[in-house]
Amino acid sequence: MTVNGTAHDHDVEPRTLLVQYLREACGLTGTKVGCDTSSCGACTVLVDGESVKSCTMFAAQADGASVTTIEGLADGDRWHPVQQAFHEHHGLQCGYCTAGMVMAAVSLLDEVPEPTERDVRLGLEGNLCRCTGYHNIVKAVLAAAETMRAAR
Amino acid sequence: MIPAAFDYVRADSAEAAIGLVAEHGDEAKLLAGGMSLIPLMKLRLATPAVIVDIGRVRDLSYVRDAGDHLAIGALTRHRDLETSDVLARDCGVLRAVAAQVGDNQVRHRGTIGGSVAHGDPASDLPAALVALDATFVVRGPGGERTVAATDFFRGFLETALGPDELLCEIRVPKSGPNGYAYEKFNRRAQDWAIVGALAARVGGTTRVALVNMGPVPLRAAAVEEALAAGGSVPDAAALAAEGTEPPHDLNASPEYREHLARVLVRRALEAL
Ligand SMILES: Cc1cc2nc3c(=O)[nH]c(=O)nc-3n(C[C@H](O)[C@H](O)[C@H](O)COP(=O)(O)OP(=O)(O)OC[C@H]3O[C@@H](n4cnc5c(N)ncnc54)[C@H](O)[C@@H]3O)c2cc1C
Ligand code: FES
Ligand code: FES
């Protein structure tokens, strides 16, 4: 599979989960395991541009796909607008949910480029945050949408 | 949590999938989106020896106008349903219910066929398909057969599908863009319904279906009959728990579920 634009080729056991593959075979530990039961979204990555919970997918299912993790978002040393907005609007506290939250937001903004606050709240329903109360996360995603709209 | 070890084979067509399942017998399990099966495998509640991945059988992913009905491929993802123009025009209810399944990540992977084959009475789409009197097209080594949605769901996680059969297509009547209301009651946005109530107008009749009010998705027959006989919405909705067998779990007692069913059916009918 291609991960963040780089081809990766490993033989893995069929039961290897995508998140394990990314963290252990590719060494990309930005993607976190939170609940390990498909609920929290901390493990969210993009597979062919769409958000998925990488704890609930086998690496073999992503064979040949293009996977993007948090490490692959920035353009050199320029952050992705969603990363920038999380920074500016303080969309995180402990940061554990953040990689998944950012990836889910990137996928959401791809599907709904001009979201309302409700669209953002519903669009991130698969991602849990124990710290922020979501307020600043929603603010950050709306701000990122605005930045991306202005750039189009 | 790591699933028990298994062999992985990928099918690239419906025929190949049926052949692989026939070859491996009871040991094999089909994998579509994995949104129900993988969590079970991680908990080792399911330990198949062989996984037949049908996730890439693209020719079973479609929503087609088939004249008097719509034909939906079993591998069509919830995401494809919630964005389908064909459904927006001819079966708005299915599109809206698909949008209520889980969260974006789940809808990007999960399929309508997987929802149906899994047979969980807490799932949203099966209840909608029971309300619509959908028909399921099933293929096995012996050929193809069709099963009515109302005969398909047999018990908790139990369906009319044989272990060597593949669900290929779901056929639903055209019910138009509007004329439905779905009331899903849960505590966290992404979760399954504690109870769900769907009301839909289909060809001059009002259909009412219930989610998680028994071991299978149910039609609220008493409510439908009361409405057909000219009864008022509050009177009809008061009958919503008749003939149900609601489960007892962490979320709710059977009595509370009966109460929810009456309230949610009333709300759905009022919103129609
Ligand atoms: C966090 C989370 C939240 C969820 N919330 C909801 C919710 O609110 N409402 C809801 O309804 N569902 C919910 N789900 C379940 C979701 O809808 C699943 O997508 C669906 O139940 C299964 O579809 P799948 O394609 O992922 O099937 P899989 O998990 O791949 O398979 C499920 C079962 O069906 C069998 N199967 C699959 N396809 C076929 C076929 N074509 N023919 C024969 N057998 C087949 C498999 O062998 C397996 O036994 C949720 C899931 C998660 C992880
Ligand atoms: S770790 Fe994957 S959803 Fe929580
Ligand atoms: S910032 Fe701590 S869990 Fe979200």
Side-chain angles (χ1 to χ4, degrees), chain B residues 10-236:
Chain B
R10 193 179 292 147
D12 48 19
S13 68
E15 289 63 40
I18 293 165
L20 285 166
V21 170
E23 183 187 329
H24 296 287
D26 282 355
E27 306 272 83
K29 197 97 183 108
L30 294 164
L31 176 70
M35 292 298 105
S36 294
L37 185 54
I38 296 177
L40 288 179
M41 289 173 69
K42 289 176 71 178
L43 294 168
R44 303 210 178 186
L45 293 172
T47 52
V50 181
I51 280 290
V52 178
D53 186 357
I54 53 172
R56 298 190 187 189
V57 182
R58 297 321 299 168
D59 52 354
L60 286 184
S61 171
Y62 54 85
V63 182
R64 270 185 217 135
D65 187 332
D68 62 338
H69 67 274
L70 299 180
I72 303 171
L75 270 297
T76 310
R77 303 173 310 154
H78 307 318
R79 169 76 192 159
D80 302 321
L81 298 176
E82 70 171 317
T83 54
S84 159
D85 294 337
V86 179
L87 288 187
R89 190 184 65 225
D90 287 324
C91 197
V93 55
L94 211 55
R95 183 172 145 126
V97 171
Q100 293 285 316
V101 175
D103 49 51
N104 275 352
Q105 290 95 319
V106 168
R107 294 195 294 273
H108 285 147
R109 304 276 321 149
T111 65
I112 185 170
S115 274
V116 169
H118 193 53
D120 182 349
S123 289
D124 303 294
L125 287 166
L129 295 169
V130 165
L132 289 167
D133 275 334
T135 309
F136 302 140
V137 181
V138 169
R139 250 186 265 163
E144 188 173 291
R145 64 190 180 109
T146 58
V147 189
T150 38
D151 298 331
F152 185 84
F153 300 102
R154 297 276 167 86
F156 183 74
L157 305 189
E158 224 185 287
T159 70
L161 266 182
D164 54 356
E165 285 183 314
L166 179 74
L167 174 62
C168 291
E169 187 174 280
I170 291 122
R171 295 180 181 157
V172 293
K174 293 182 176 177
S175 58
N178 306 309
Y180 62 83
Y182 183 42
E183 292 286 334
K184 178 173 176 175
F185 187 84
N186 54 15
R187 289 199 300 184
R188 284 186 317 184
Q190 61 171 265
D191 277 343
W192 284 261
I194 294 173
V195 172
L198 177 78
R201 292 218 174 84
V202 186
T205 60
T206 301
R207 315 269 179 92
V208 181
L210 296 169
V211 177
N212 218 0
M213 281 298 288
V216 294
L218 293 172
R219 285 280 280 273
V223 178
E224 293 183 0
E225 282 160 24
L227 289 171
S232 71
V233 163
D235 287 349

